């Protein structure tokens, strides 16, 4: 059985549907035809659970490369 490949820009709802419809446990994520990561069903389910538990609450997010900087909309003095 060959692993399923998706690109990093694949919408999350499509990823979830693929996990459900195909009974997959993981998919390979590619960028420009090269492997860039693996997405696991259990990680997607954990993320959905996390975000649904924060429904109605503000969640700050910014890329890890910028973790030494304040997230958008915040001042550095706030941290």
């Amino acid at each position: 059985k060959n692993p399923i490949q998706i690109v990093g820009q694949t919408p999350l709802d499509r990823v979830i549907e693929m996990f459900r419809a195909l009974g997959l446990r993981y998919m390979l994520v590619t960028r420009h035809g090269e492997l860039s990561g693996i997405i696991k069903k259990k990680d997607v389910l954990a993320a959905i659970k996390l975000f649904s538990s924060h429904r109605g609450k503000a969640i700050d997010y910014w890329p890890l490369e910028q973790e030494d900087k304040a997230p958008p909309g915040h001042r550095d003095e706030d941290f």
Side-chain angles (χ1 to χ4, degrees):
K1 187 173 173 179
N2 292 330
I4 300 295
Q5 298 179 27
I6 60 171
V7 295
Q9 296 79 19
T10 304
L12 184 56
D13 60 337
R14 179 70 177 136
V15 171
I16 293 168
E17 182 57 33
M18 290 175 73
F19 276 126
R20 284 183 185 153
L22 302 175
L24 303 172
R25 290 186 295 162
Y26 67 91
M27 289 185 265
L28 304 178
V29 181
T30 60
R31 181 175 184 198
H32 303 296
E34 295 186 14
L35 181 66
S36 65
I38 298 173
I39 187 167
K40 296 182 280 183
K41 181 179 181 178
K42 69 178 186 177
D43 294 337
V44 172
L45 294 174
I48 291 169
K49 182 177 179 181
L50 173 70
F51 287 111
S52 65
S53 70
H54 286 81
R55 185 171 289 161
K57 299 176 185 173
I59 300 174
D60 288 327
Y61 169 81
W62 65 99
L64 293 176
E65 297 85 30
Q66 298 177 7
E67 68 183 18
D68 58 329
K69 298 178 185 174
H74 295 275
R75 299 172 301 181
D76 287 327
E77 303 88 59
D78 294 338
F79 292 90

